[in-house]
């Protein structure tokens, strides 16, 4: 049906009551009359209309970018389409997740157990902060994502073939972390940086012994891409002074082989406001600078191969003195209370924002190398060589209050979140990036207000060797007045920003409430780099081994129940809309091993498997095989039923589980 169209000039007239369209907005084309009526009725400005059409995703179309975001205290990871900002999936990571059948009986129980405390105590949540996508040659390769758990010092590995968590490792020598996860340019290592210092090996020591016994500790988890797992036996740690190391980034291009981390308690404050000491917030900010930690991780790798490590709780540790002697660790001062050390796409510079300094400081990797070669450096109290600030810096750019984290685009611009100003600053890189935009290098170009208290910031492919531009997302801590009031706990607010035009043309496009946690960081990958399964590749696929499970049954006539003593083993076939078998009759006290195979090959034909009363719930995606194992210690009449509305006869997809007393 042909709709009545209103020329854009008339639309401009309709809109002029609200605001004056800029030249860029006076383009040609027609607006449907009904749409124009909506625009007029709602009083939408030209910017509103631009934002709406820029982010609207017509039904059936998919987003060109996918954002992998931290799920904060939920312990999970969010998958979001950009620019539509639609949530596509919540991945269970550190917290059981019933929809994915994660942590309710299947192989994922073992994944979660991998992250329990060394004594076996269960940890059933995490505080996820910084997701990082796997890289090849400094580019996202779409294969894996990693995320840290700040609360308990853990690292998780997620496969981007099925968007499921494959592994959680518990740091054996640290109780908390923060500077993770960060990958090296070929994902040789996944770095888990430390945070609050503790005695090395995570022993007991009083705070009076802080300087002698407390230490920072950075972990280099070796990633085995073929296995899709971190290999703790090939991983190592480096002992550091107790300076509360924070965020990190790997060098790339010219700085490949190096690694950079912030710190924020060079003062070694130990708190105790109740004893009359300065509180941590003041004690950690007494000095004007903290130390940017500069690691030569290739040298660290060599030291590990040469056996220059001690083993603590099963983990190889390069002692601080070894790191100093082998030229593995250097410091340079950085403006105080930094959060984010961000390496430019070519690896030439490291950008640091000190939250208590209005500038970003740009360090030159070449100058750092010259200073190291020149030698004669003075040291900190632990003997770590310190490169003076004026020997390591290339530039400082004044941006505003609370600079925090910086990402990059394809036009030589950098984008820094300003926590206190609640703004995103666009500024220009100098040096080799100078010709990529009209403005001179190292200049502030635009500040765009965001709502409110922005923490991290992320850009399309913004951490790679070749960022895309197009979009930035501001990850705001407070949303205050942006959404309908749903009580005193407010959602976080992700704001999508259009950065496709040069100069001061950044535009706010979309507010997205995150009503389930406080996400910290996110990365945005081109959607076409991801190659996820549509259905599992073969019937009987075990998502843990990523191969066909030996206990999979592929046809209903292979389904059976076998008893050996008081062990009952079940091989069950699952397909629309029945389980085979539909009756399981056992005795109280039997040990049950139950294999389930979905023989579906139709995309999206997922079945659930909920066993009432036994806290078991699986999600069986097409082709998936799972095994559950438990003692039937409750007698009675139980049912198992499908929790996914899979067909018209979904409600009939049920079976009886009879446990005779
Ligand atoms: S953080 S802004 Cu952990 Cu980097 Cu919250
Ligand atoms: Cu299977 Cu509902």
């Amino acid at each position: 049906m042909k709709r009545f169209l209103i020329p854009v000039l008339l639309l401009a007239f309709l809109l002029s009551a609200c605001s004056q369209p800029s030249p860029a907005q006076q383009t040609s084309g027609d607006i449907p009359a009904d749409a124009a009526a909506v625009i007029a009725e709602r009083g939408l400005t030209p910017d509103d209309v631009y934002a709406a059409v820029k982010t609207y995703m017509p039904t059936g179309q998919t987003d060109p970018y996918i954002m992998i975001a931290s799920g904060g205290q939920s312990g999970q990871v969010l998958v979001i389409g950009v620019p539509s900002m639609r949530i596509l999936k919540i991945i269970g990571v550190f917290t059981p997740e019933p929809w994915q059948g994660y942590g309710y009986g299947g192989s994922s129980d073992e994944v979660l157990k991998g992250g329990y405390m060394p004594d076996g105590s269960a940890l059933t949540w995490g505080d996820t902060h910084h997701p990082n996508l796997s890289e090849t040659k400094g580019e996202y390769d779409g294969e894996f994502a990693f995320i840290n758990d700040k609360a308990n010092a853990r690292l998780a590995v997620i496969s981007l073939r099925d968007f499921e968590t494959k592994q959680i490792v518990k740091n054996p020598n640290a109780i908390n972390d923060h500077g993770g996860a960060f990958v090296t340019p070929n994902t040789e290592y996944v770095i888990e940086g430390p945070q609050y210092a503790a005695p090395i090996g995570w022993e007991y020591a009083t705070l009076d012994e802080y300087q002698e016994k407390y230490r920072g500790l950075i972990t280099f988890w070796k990633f085995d891409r073929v296995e899709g797992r971190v290999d703790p036996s090939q991983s190592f740690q480096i002992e550091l002074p107790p300076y509360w190391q924070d965020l990190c980034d790997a060098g790339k291009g010219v700085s490949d082989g190096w690694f950079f981390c912030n710190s924020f308690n060079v003062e070694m404050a130990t708190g105790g406001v109740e004893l009359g000491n300065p509180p941590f917030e003041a004690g950690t900010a007494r000095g004007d600078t903290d130390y940017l930690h500069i690691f030569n991780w290739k040298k660290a790798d060599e030291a590990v191969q040469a056996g220059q490590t001690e083993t603590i709780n099963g983990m190889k540790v390069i002692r601080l003195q070894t790191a100093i002697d082998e030229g593995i660790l250097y410091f340079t001062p950085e403006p105080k209370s930094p959060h984010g050390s961000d390496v430019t796409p070519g690896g030439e510079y490291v950008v640091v924002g000190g939250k208590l300094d209005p500038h970003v400081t740009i360090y030159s990797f070449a100058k750092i190398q010259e200073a190291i070669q020149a030698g004669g450096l003075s040291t900190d109290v632990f003997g770590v060589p310190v490169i003076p600030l004026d020997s390591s810096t290339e530039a400082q750019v004044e941006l505003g209050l609370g600079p925090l984290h910086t990402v990059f685009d394809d036009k030589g611009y950098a984008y820094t979140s300003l926590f206190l100003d609640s703004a995103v600053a666009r500024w220009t890189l100098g040096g080799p990036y100078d010709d990529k935009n009209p403005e001179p290098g190292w200049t502030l170009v635009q500040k765009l207000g965001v709502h409110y208290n922005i923490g991290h910031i992320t850009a399309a492919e913004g951490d790679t060797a070749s960022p895309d531009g197009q979009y930035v997302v501001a990850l705001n801590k407070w949303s205050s007045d942006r959404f309908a009031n749903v009580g005193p706990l407010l959602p976080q607010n992700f704001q999508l920003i259009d950065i496709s035009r040069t100069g001061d043309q950044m535009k706010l496009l979309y507010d997205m409430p995150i009503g389930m946690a406080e996400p910290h960081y996110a990365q945005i990958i081109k959607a076409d780099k991801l190659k996820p399964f549509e259905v599992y590749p073969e019937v009987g696929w075990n998502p843990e081994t990523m191969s066909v499970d030996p206990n999979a049954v592929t046809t209903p006539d292979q389904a059976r129940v076998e008893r050996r003593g008081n062990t009952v083993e079940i091989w069950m076939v699952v397909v629309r809309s029945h389980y085979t078998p539909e009756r399981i009759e056992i005795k109280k006290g039997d040990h049950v091993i139950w294999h389930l195979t979905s023989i579906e090959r139709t995309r999206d034909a997922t079945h659930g498997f909920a066993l009432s009363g036994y806290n078991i719930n699986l999600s069986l995606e097409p082709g998936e095989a799972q095994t559950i194992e438990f003692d039937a210690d409750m007698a009675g009449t139980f049912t198992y039923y499908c929790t996914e509305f899979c067909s018209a006869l979904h409600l009939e997809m049920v079976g009886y589980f009879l446990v005779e007393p």
Side-chain angles (χ1 to χ4, degrees):
M1 190 174 73
K2 198 159 189 296
R3 284 189 291 178
F4 182 49
L5 302 173
I6 292 186
V8 156
L9 277 182
L10 176 55
L11 177 74
F13 171 76
L14 284 171
L15 291 168
S16 60
C18 314
S19 77
Q20 215 44 52
S22 76
Q25 288 155 346
Q26 289 171 333
T27 49
S28 62
D30 291 318
I31 297 277
D34 50 0
V38 173
I39 292 166
E41 199 179 300
R42 297 188 63 197
L44 301 180
T45 67
D47 280 347
D48 295 336
V49 175
Y50 177 80
V53 297
K54 189 88 180 157
T55 55
Y56 175 67
M57 197 53 62
T59 184
Q61 291 189 22
T62 59
D63 287 291
Y65 292 100
I66 300 292
M67 176 158 58
I68 304 287
S70 133
Q73 311 91 326
S74 74
Q76 317 297 49
V77 160
L78 314 179
V79 185
I80 298 164
V82 175
S84 75
M85 306 303 274
R86 296 178 296 186
I87 292 193
L88 303 174
K89 183 170 269 185
I90 294 173
I91 305 174
V93 184
F94 295 108
T95 307
E97 208 297 315
W99 172 58
Q100 281 197 309
Y102 182 72
Y104 294 96
S107 55
S108 53
D109 284 16
E110 294 305 311
V111 175
L112 281 161
K113 275 188 198 142
Y116 284 4
M117 292 296 284
D119 73 351
S121 311
L123 296 168
T124 58
W125 77 290
D127 186 11
T128 59
H129 277 240
H130 310 100
N132 239 229
L133 294 155
S134 58
E135 291 181 11
T136 301
K137 295 188 180 144
E139 303 286 354
Y140 302 151
D141 55 38
E143 292 190 0
F144 297 94
F146 309 93
I147 194 154
N148 69 315
D149 164 23
K150 169 168 171 164
N152 308 296
R154 297 183 293 169
L155 180 83
V157 180
I158 297 164
S159 166
L160 297 179
R161 301 309 297 277
D162 60 358
F163 287 72
E164 289 194 3
T165 303
K166 301 297 169 180
Q167 184 186 25
I168 299 176
V169 282
K170 169 79 191 89
N171 192 314
N173 289 325
I175 189 61
N176 62 74
D177 68 22
H178 193 221
F182 297 100
V183 301
T184 53
N186 287 300
T187 323
E188 298 92 338
Y189 288 102
V190 187
I191 282 84
E192 183 194 359
Q195 184 99 90
Y196 310 120
I200 190 151
W202 181 41
E203 311 253 307
Y204 172 82
T206 72
L207 284 158
D208 298 332
E209 306 168 286
Y210 189 84
Q211 192 167 327
E212 305 76 58
K213 297 215 171 145
Y214 282 56
R215 288 294 177 267
L217 189 70
I218 188 169
T219 307
F220 289 71
W221 292 104
K222 180 74 187 170
F223 186 60
D224 181 335
R225 200 183 273 269
V226 177
E227 293 294 317
R229 298 288 190 281
V230 151
D231 180 355
S233 74
Q234 301 295 313
S235 304
F236 66 91
Q237 301 181 317
I238 304 176
E239 177 187 13
L240 301 171
Y243 291 163
W244 294 11
Q245 291 77 17
D246 195 49
L247 294 200
C248 308
D249 199 3
K252 48 177 166 291
V254 293
S255 53
D256 188 12
W258 293 74
F259 209 83
F260 309 91
C261 299
N262 295 134
S263 64
F264 64 92
N265 185 15
V266 162
E267 295 84 351
M268 293 189 278
T270 56
V273 66
E274 65 281 13
L275 304 172
N277 296 339
F280 273 121
E281 62 188 289
T284 59
R286 272 178 313 212
D288 282 335
T289 53
D290 289 295
Y291 285 136
L292 176 65
H293 291 41
I294 302 163
F295 297 91
N296 184 335
W297 68 260
K298 294 238 162 118
K299 271 210 173 157
D301 210 12
E302 287 164 22
V304 172
Q305 303 317 323
Q308 293 172 291
T309 53
E310 266 175 49
T311 299
I312 303 177
N313 293 329
M315 176 68 92
K316 297 186 194 96
V317 179
I318 298 178
R319 286 291 190 177
L320 178 56
Q321 194 56 50
T322 309
I324 296 167
D325 295 344
E326 297 302 315
I328 292 168
L329 178 65
Y330 299 89
F331 291 158
T332 192
E334 58 184 355
K336 65 181 171 187
S337 195
H339 192 68
S341 56
D342 302 296
V343 175
T344 51
E348 309 86 352
Y349 307 111
V350 185
V351 179
V352 171
K355 294 193 294 295
L356 304 179
D357 179 307
H359 301 86
V360 278
T361 302
I362 298 102
Y363 297 89
S364 153
F365 180 71
K367 288 189 180 179
I368 288 171
Q369 292 307 305
E370 278 164 35
I372 291 173
Q373 298 313 320
L377 298 169
S378 59
T379 67
D380 79 332
V381 293
F382 293 92
V384 181
V386 180
I387 304 166
L389 191 61
D390 52 3
S391 308
S392 58
T393 28
E394 180 75 21
Q396 286 200 308
V397 184
E398 184 169 343
L399 300 181
L401 301 179
L404 200 141
H405 175 219
T406 301
V407 289
F408 307 97
D409 73 1
D410 57 334
K411 299 187 191 72
Y413 293 116
Y415 301 82
T416 300
S417 53
L418 301 176
F419 178 83
L420 297 172
D421 272 352
S422 285
V424 168
R426 172 186 253 182
W427 52 281
T428 54
L429 297 171
Y433 302 90
D434 226 343
D435 317 333
K436 295 191 169 222
N437 53 55
E439 297 86 5
W442 313 128
T443 355
L444 175 63
V445 175
Q446 185 189 3
K447 270 163 77 168
L448 181 75
V450 292
H451 314 88
Y452 302 89
N453 297 2
I454 177 174
H456 280 278
I457 185 171
T458 185
E461 302 252 329
D463 290 316
T464 67
S466 59
D468 268 25
Q470 305 298 330
Y471 300 107
V472 148
V473 174
L475 281 65
N476 305 321
K477 302 296 173 193
W478 287 23
S479 61
S480 302
D481 54 7
R482 292 293 103 169
F483 305 110
N485 186 358
V486 288
L489 178 61
L490 272 61
Q492 310 285 309
N493 186 12
F494 280 13
Q495 283 184 309
L496 180 70
I497 297 168
D498 178 11
I499 57 162
S500 57
R501 300 176 192 155
T502 54
D504 60 355
Q505 295 281 314
M506 282 195 293
K507 275 195 196 320
L508 205 54
L509 296 177
Y510 195 82
D511 297 354
M512 177 197 192
I514 305 289
M516 43 85 74
E518 182 196 319
H520 292 261
Y521 184 44
Q523 288 188 326
I524 303 174
I525 181 173
K526 276 195 195 81
D528 61 12
K529 284 189 176 177
L530 296 166
K531 300 280 177 283
F533 298 142
E534 294 194 344
V535 298
Y536 277 114
E538 288 177 64
V539 167
W541 196 261
N542 179 327
E544 196 194 356
T545 60
M546 287 294 221
S547 59
V548 173
D549 192 295
N551 278 304
V553 277
T554 50
T555 57
D557 55 344
Q558 296 171 314
R560 62 195 188 275
V561 181
E562 287 176 10
R563 173 178 283 281
R564 296 183 304 278
N566 64 350
T567 296
V568 176
E569 191 158 6
I570 304 155
W571 286 266
M572 175 173 272
V573 166
V574 181
V575 71
R576 275 163 293 170
S577 293
H578 53 271
Y579 301 105
T580 313
E582 290 185 329
R583 289 182 186 181
I584 306 289
E585 297 178 41
I586 64 163
K587 293 205 166 52
K588 183 177 176 201
D590 281 344
H591 181 69
V592 180
I593 305 170
W594 196 324
H595 310 288
L596 301 98
T597 307
S598 163
I599 59 169
E600 294 283 357
R601 302 312 287 151
T602 306
R603 201 172 173 198
D604 210 358
T606 296
H607 299 286
F609 176 83
L611 180 56
S612 306
Y614 275 91
N615 202 38
I616 284 169
N617 183 41
L618 302 176
S619 170
L620 297 159
E621 282 104 68
E624 180 167 348
Q626 282 288 350
T627 294
I628 53 178
E629 198 169 339
F630 60 97
D631 292 322
D633 42 22
M634 270 179 292
T637 303
F638 302 89
T639 51
Y640 44 91
Y641 73 95
C642 176
T643 56
E644 285 265 340
F645 207 107
C646 52
S647 73
L649 296 172
H650 149 79
L651 290 178
E652 291 80 352
M653 191 163 175
V654 64
Y656 276 99
F657 178 60
L658 306 182
V659 185
E660 192 186 324

